[in-house]
Amino acid sequence: KAQATAVSETTFEVADAVTFDPVERFDMIVLNEVLYYMDRPEEVLDRYAGFLTPGGFLVVSMYRVPESLHAWRRCASRVEVLENVWIKGTKAEWNVRLCRPQSLSRS
C-alpha cells in the first residue's frame, strides 16, 4: 500500500515498484536501490518515466554490486544522464544519476 507524506510542497510516495499506479504525475521520481532487484529493469524505468510531468526527471540510485551494473547496462539507452555522481563510503559505493527519459530528451 502506498503512503504519502507532504513536506511543504513536496510529496513522498512509498509503494510496491511493480504495482504502483498513481493518478497524478510527478516532477521527479527517485528510484532508490530498486532497479537491480527487477527481472526487467528497463521496463520498470520506462514505466516510471511515463509517470513524469513534461520535463520531469528520474533519479536513479544504485549500490555498486554486479547486479546493479548489469541493470544499468539494460537501462542506459533509455535515458539521458544529466549528472552522474559516485558516493564512496569506507566499505561501499553508490552511483546516483539524474536522468531525463530519452522520449523527453528528443522533444
Side-chain angles (χ1 to χ4, degrees), residues 2-98:
Q3 299 173 339
T5 304
V7 177
S8 183
E9 293 184 27
T10 303
T11 301
F12 297 92
E13 301 272 347
V14 179
D16 182 299
V18 176
T19 61
F20 183 57
D21 190 19
V23 293
E24 62 184 319
R25 298 293 177 238
F26 302 94
D27 297 324
M28 181 175 288
I29 295 174
V30 178
L31 296 169
N32 185 44
E33 312 298 325
V34 67
L35 290 177
Y36 53 89
Y37 290 108
M38 302 296 155
D39 291 332
R40 294 184 178 94
E42 67 279 12
E43 291 177 11
V44 173
L45 188 71
D46 288 346
R47 183 169 180 268
Y48 278 82
F51 299 151
L52 291 171
T53 58
F57 299 96
L58 295 166
V59 175
V60 179
S61 171
M62 290 197 232
Y63 179 68
R64 187 173 187 173
V65 292
E67 295 83 2
S68 68
L69 299 173
H70 176 71
W72 183 250
R73 279 192 294 272
R74 294 180 65 172
C75 293
S77 67
R78 290 169 148 73
V79 295
E80 173 189 4
V81 177
L82 304 172
E83 294 287 337
N84 185 17
V85 177
W86 281 96
I87 301 168
K88 295 182 181 188
T90 55
K91 297 182 181 182
E93 291 183 34
W94 290 264
N95 188 228
V96 182
R97 296 173 178 99
L98 174 66

